Amino acid sequence: MLLDITDPLDSKKEEVKPNPILGIDFGTTNSIIAYCEKDLTKAIKISDKELLPSIVKLGHIEVSSVKRLFGKSYNEIMSGDFVSDDIKNLLYEENGQLYIKDGDRKIHITQIASKIFHKLKTEAEKELSIACEKVVVTVPAYFDEPSKKMVKDSAKLAGFDVVRLLAEPTSAAYYYGLDTKAEGNYIVYDLGGGTFDVSVLAMKMGAFKVVSIGGDQTLGGDDIDFAIARFLREKFSLKPTNDSEINKYAKELKHKLSNADYAEAQIEGQIISLTENELEEIAKPYIDRTLSILKKTIYESKIEDFSGIILVGGSTRLKSIRHAIAQNFPDIKILGDVDPDKIVAFGAAKQGYNLANKSGDLLIDVAPLSLGIELMGGVVERLIQRY
């Protein structure tokens, strides 16, 4: 009998494909899950759409903008104007934890957010026909540690293993740099539905260094929507009790004005309208706040020469925002050639692919907030300085 004896080191082993690490942009208004395979990055469709509205239905009620509640105290939310009165009326606090009231039961806000993650997971597994467990999730650059933990907890409740949290503007720049092979110093202006972030990055092939970060956790497109709703309520004498309906049409009119100078809608049999000039006046205080943060972050970076400003977030489609940036920074090219709604998720997916395949790309981030411990008397000893 002949035996075929071979050296196992000489035999070709079957290549084992690593489990994919997907990218998720958990947004205030919309959420996206994306997949990357070599040079192909795509958003996974949810019911034939790439954007999943970050709205959770509980019985007869709807909860939106839950991300804006992360890391906030009950009193901070009730005294602020960054969530609608409808949400405030549903909010409930017990032992320092925030819950949403749904009839006789109460649901923790991370449980509500987990339903968004669960929907993304279910649809991704359906489309890819594989188990999707590992993810890179993006967070606002200025999110503090309690807020980040709530994001991770929400994803974990849905069955995800979060391998990395990535700042949203950093994720956008990461994808832009890899996709266009860009080099130089770039500014990322990220105005989403619930938060505003700005980052300054130095990019070279294979290396991405975050130089400075700024932002506001309570400034976003939702605030412009609320301001439009207040304007419409006063202009057309709309009933003050139907806040959700008015906010919905305010958002609709804002979107229409991205490509027009006049927009109208019908609410309760009444025609309401909004002009580009009216929108520009309404949005001006919020745009000015973003520009103030932008200039401060650029100053802190100590960089004077920039190759471009990358626009991120659906709110950057507003013509008044692009005009304001162009007027304040006439010598810097505005870059908006990648879909501002998808670029953050694409960056997270690209980072996930590179982590799974151990690429040579180097991403150096910064600490946006100082970290420390509280001593007696309420004094905080800083252990890690921001930046």
Side-chain angles (χ1 to χ4, degrees):
M1 181 175 66
L2 298 177
L3 299 178
D4 185 13
I5 302 176
T6 60
D7 186 342
L9 296 178
D10 292 335
S11 62
K12 292 184 179 180
K13 296 182 179 180
E14 182 180 352
E15 182 179 354
V16 178
K17 191 174 182 180
N19 290 331
I21 301 178
L22 306 187
I24 292 179
D25 175 12
F26 170 55
T28 304
T29 305
N30 297 294
S31 295
I32 311 174
I33 186 167
Y35 173 74
C36 179
E37 179 61 41
K38 293 184 179 179
D39 296 327
L40 174 65
T41 307
K42 67 173 185 176
I44 294 171
K45 290 188 176 181
I46 313 293
S47 303
D48 296 325
K49 295 182 180 180
E50 294 174 325
L51 302 181
L52 172 68
S54 299
I55 300 173
V56 177
K57 291 185 178 181
L58 302 172
H60 299 292
I61 63 175
E62 290 186 349
V63 180
S64 60
S65 303
V66 66
K67 180 179 170 182
R68 279 199 149 188
L69 304 176
F70 283 10
K72 304 292 191 303
S73 68
Y74 180 83
N75 290 336
E76 189 178 359
I77 295 169
M78 289 302 179
S79 61
D81 59 357
F82 50 87
V83 295
S84 68
D85 290 338
D86 291 339
I87 297 299
K88 290 181 180 180
N89 292 334
L90 297 173
L91 206 58
Y92 175 81
E93 182 188 33
E94 185 175 290
N95 298 324
Q97 298 294 311
L98 295 178
Y99 299 86
I100 292 292
K101 293 178 290 186
D102 178 24
D104 295 332
R105 64 173 180 161
K106 58 186 180 185
I107 306 175
H108 196 275
I109 58 175
T110 55
Q111 291 178 297
I112 294 173
S114 73
K115 296 182 183 298
I116 298 172
F117 282 102
H118 185 266
K119 178 66 174 178
L120 294 173
K121 187 176 190 294
T122 301
E123 295 299 321
E125 292 179 337
K126 184 188 301 182
E127 179 167 327
L128 300 176
S129 299
I130 54 175
C132 298
E133 297 175 348
K134 296 182 180 296
V135 288
V136 173
V137 180
T138 62
V139 293
Y142 240 53
F143 249 24
D144 56 19
E145 292 308 309
S147 302
K148 291 178 183 178
K149 184 180 184 302
M150 295 185 79
V151 172
K152 292 186 72 172
D153 289 346
S154 299
K156 185 177 180 180
L157 285 172
F160 279 126
D161 174 18
V162 181
V163 299
R164 180 167 188 176
L165 291 178
L166 190 60
E168 291 167 2
T170 303
S171 181
Y174 184 73
Y175 178 78
Y176 184 85
L178 289 179
D179 192 53
T180 64
K181 304 187 186 309
E183 293 191 359
N185 302 315
Y186 288 83
I187 303 164
V188 182
Y189 178 103
D190 181 0
L191 184 61
T195 58
F196 172 68
D197 291 312
V198 57
S199 291
V200 173
L201 295 97
M203 299 195 294
K204 293 183 180 179
M205 285 309 301
F208 303 81
K209 181 180 180 181
V210 181
V211 181
S212 62
I213 281 179
D216 188 332
Q217 293 187 46
T218 59
L219 173 61
D222 282 359
D223 298 290
I224 298 176
D225 295 342
F226 296 155
I228 294 172
R230 289 193 294 269
F231 173 83
L232 295 174
R233 190 180 292 110
E234 183 176 341
K235 180 180 179 181
F236 296 99
S237 301
L238 299 174
K239 297 178 181 179
T241 55
N242 53 358
D243 288 340
S244 297
E245 196 73 7
I246 297 174
N247 289 340
K248 172 186 173 182
Y249 285 104
K251 189 185 296 290
E252 178 184 322
L253 293 175
K254 183 185 73 173
H255 289 171
K256 287 181 178 179
L257 289 176
S258 296
N259 300 304
D261 294 325
Y262 174 84
E264 64 179 31
Q266 184 172 339
I267 178 171
E268 297 181 353
Q270 183 178 358
I271 298 297
I272 59 174
S273 62
L274 190 68
T275 67
E276 173 60 29
N277 289 337
E278 288 173 333
L279 175 58
E280 186 171 353
E281 189 66 25
I282 293 168
K284 188 178 185 305
Y286 305 99
I287 297 174
D288 288 346
R289 282 170 61 187
T290 69
L291 293 175
S292 177
I293 295 171
L294 178 58
K295 292 175 182 177
K296 182 176 183 289
T297 307
I298 292 174
Y299 174 78
E300 291 177 346
S301 74
K302 297 180 172 59
I303 295 176
E304 297 180 356
D305 182 32
F306 291 96
S307 301
I309 299 178
I310 303 171
L311 300 183
V312 180
S315 296
T316 60
R317 287 192 171 91
L318 287 180
K319 289 180 285 185
S320 52
I321 288 179
R322 294 176 180 249
H323 291 162
I325 294 175
Q327 288 176 355
N328 281 267
F329 304 94
D331 299 326
I332 305 178
K333 184 179 180 181
I334 297 177
L335 305 170
D337 46 339
V338 181
D339 191 328
D341 282 319
K342 301 177 187 176
I343 189 171
V344 170
F346 283 1
K350 184 74 77 172
Q351 169 74 172
Y353 174 81
N354 290 337
L355 287 173
N357 293 276
K358 297 179 172 60
S359 78
D361 295 323
L362 179 63
L363 178 58
I364 305 173
D365 215 331
V366 297
L369 300 170
S370 297
L371 300 176
I373 57 175
E374 185 177 352
L375 305 177
M376 290 184 63
V379 178
V380 175
E381 176 70 20
R382 293 185 182 183
L383 302 179
I384 300 177
Q385 296 285 343
R386 83 185 277 258
Y387 300 166

